[in-house]
Amino acid sequence: EADIYQTPRYLVIGTGKKITLECSQTMGHDKMYWYQQDPGMELHLIHYSYGVNSTEKGDLSSESTVSRIRTEHFPLTLESARPSHTSQYLCASSEPRTGGHEQYFGPGTRLTVT
Amino acid sequence: QKEVEQNSGPLSVPEGAIASLNCTYSDRGSQSFFWYRQYSGKSPELIMFIYSNGDKEDGRFTAQLNKASQYVSLLIRDSQPSDSATYLCAGGTNAGGTSYGKLTFGQGTILTVHP
């Protein structure tokens, strides 16, 4: 069972505001991921991290940034929110096991930018 | 061609029937495969994973992998209305390099189980 938390669960914010979406996991997983998903659409990887001080951009270009100062914490920041950032943001974590990397997802943050 | 492609949906089956969900992948480097269930408005939940050719059973779920045909499937026996959700297939590689630990997701198949 995965213990991965995201806050806030829902956020409505005006254009131009700076926002930080929080993601924490208590499993000591080295690898963490951020996905973006619009309703009824595919998951898109926007950032990932293989450990402390390691961050990489994902397959989908995003104006957001991430940091990984502690193993358990992987926040995502938008410096200036725009309506095009309206989406669901999902955080996940994994650790290597024999055969693969099972990713476990947090509950998500639904962001609406007005 | 998408790297991971799922059979087009939506798929509708009667309660008690077997639901068959299919997935093909193009990257022969993919070695591990995962099935996630996602209810509307919720986050994906891992329900099955398979790394070796053949079948893997867990309760009402059976995952099948055929690496030669680059084909993965999920069978749900005795389907229940609570199984109605979007099912996501994902492939990953265990090799080193930039893809290590990353998953590539399919577009999902919507399953509806009607009473």
Side-chain angles (χ1 to χ4, degrees), chain A residues 33 37 42 50 99 102-103 106, chain B residues 2 36 38 51 94 100-101:
Chain A
Y33 313 83
Q37 186 181 36
E42 297 175 48
Y50 286 164
E102 299 139 40
Q103 291 187 16
Chain B
K2 288 179 180 288
Y36 286 83
Q38 187 174 26
Y51 307 142
N94 303 332
Y100 184 60

Side-chain angles (χ1 to χ4, degrees), chain A residues 10-72:
Chain A
Y10 303 91
L11 179 62
V12 180
I13 201 161
T15 298
K17 300 290 186 184
K18 177 180 179 179
I19 59 172
T20 297
L21 307 184
E22 301 288 348
C23 176
S24 295
Q25 49 96 3
T26 59
M27 298 163 287
H29 288 173
D30 285 332
K31 295 177 176 56
M32 296 188 74
Y33 313 83
W34 275 104
Y35 292 88
Q36 186 174 342
Q37 186 181 36
D38 293 327
M41 303 299 285
E42 297 175 48
L43 281 166
H44 292 287
L45 180 68
I46 52 175
H47 296 283
Y48 60 100
S49 167
Y50 286 164
V52 171
N53 295 324
S54 154
T55 61
E56 301 287 344
K57 288 190 179 297
D59 305 321
L60 180 68
S61 175
S62 173
E63 294 168 343
S64 58
T65 59
V66 292
S67 62
R68 190 87 183 277
I69 298 172
R70 303 196 316 265
T71 297
E72 62 272 20

Side-chain angles (χ1 to χ4, degrees), chain B residues 61-79:
Chain B
F61 299 99
T62 299
Q64 299 173 317
L65 174 59
N66 184 326
K67 291 187 179 180
S69 301
Q70 297 177 246
Y71 179 87
V72 191
S73 67
L74 178 71
L75 301 177
I76 306 174
R77 290 182 300 281
D78 188 23
S79 296

Side-chain angles (χ1 to χ4, degrees), chain B residues 4-70:
Chain B
V4 176
E5 192 127 18
Q6 297 187 233
N7 57 321
S8 59
L11 177 66
S12 181
V13 301
E15 185 174 357
I18 295 175
S20 177
L21 303 159
N22 304 312
C23 175
T24 57
Y25 61 95
S26 59
D27 181 4
R28 286 198 173 271
S30 297
Q31 297 167 317
S32 52
F33 299 90
F34 306 86
W35 283 99
Y36 286 83
R37 177 176 61 199
Q38 187 174 26
Y39 293 114
S40 181
K42 302 295 186 183
S43 61
E45 172 193 8
L46 180 64
I47 55 172
M48 287 286 288
F49 56 87
I50 186 166
Y51 307 142
S52 305
N53 271 329
D55 295 1
K56 179 181 179 184
E57 189 173 316
D58 184 1
R60 295 187 295 113
F61 299 99
T62 299
Q64 299 173 317
L65 174 59
N66 184 326
K67 291 187 179 180
S69 301
Q70 297 177 246

Side-chain angles (χ1 to χ4, degrees), chain A residues 52-99:
Chain A
V52 171
N53 295 324
S54 154
T55 61
E56 301 287 344
K57 288 190 179 297
D59 305 321
L60 180 68
S61 175
S62 173
E63 294 168 343
S64 58
T65 59
V66 292
S67 62
R68 190 87 183 277
I69 298 172
R70 303 196 316 265
T71 297
E72 62 272 20
H73 194 215
F74 190 39
L76 180 145
T77 298
L78 275 165
E79 290 292 332
S80 179
R82 294 209 299 267
S84 61
H85 297 140
T86 294
S87 189
Q88 170 146 278
Y89 293 84
L90 294 161
C91 182
S93 72
S94 73
E95 63 175 359
R97 298 177 186 273
T98 302

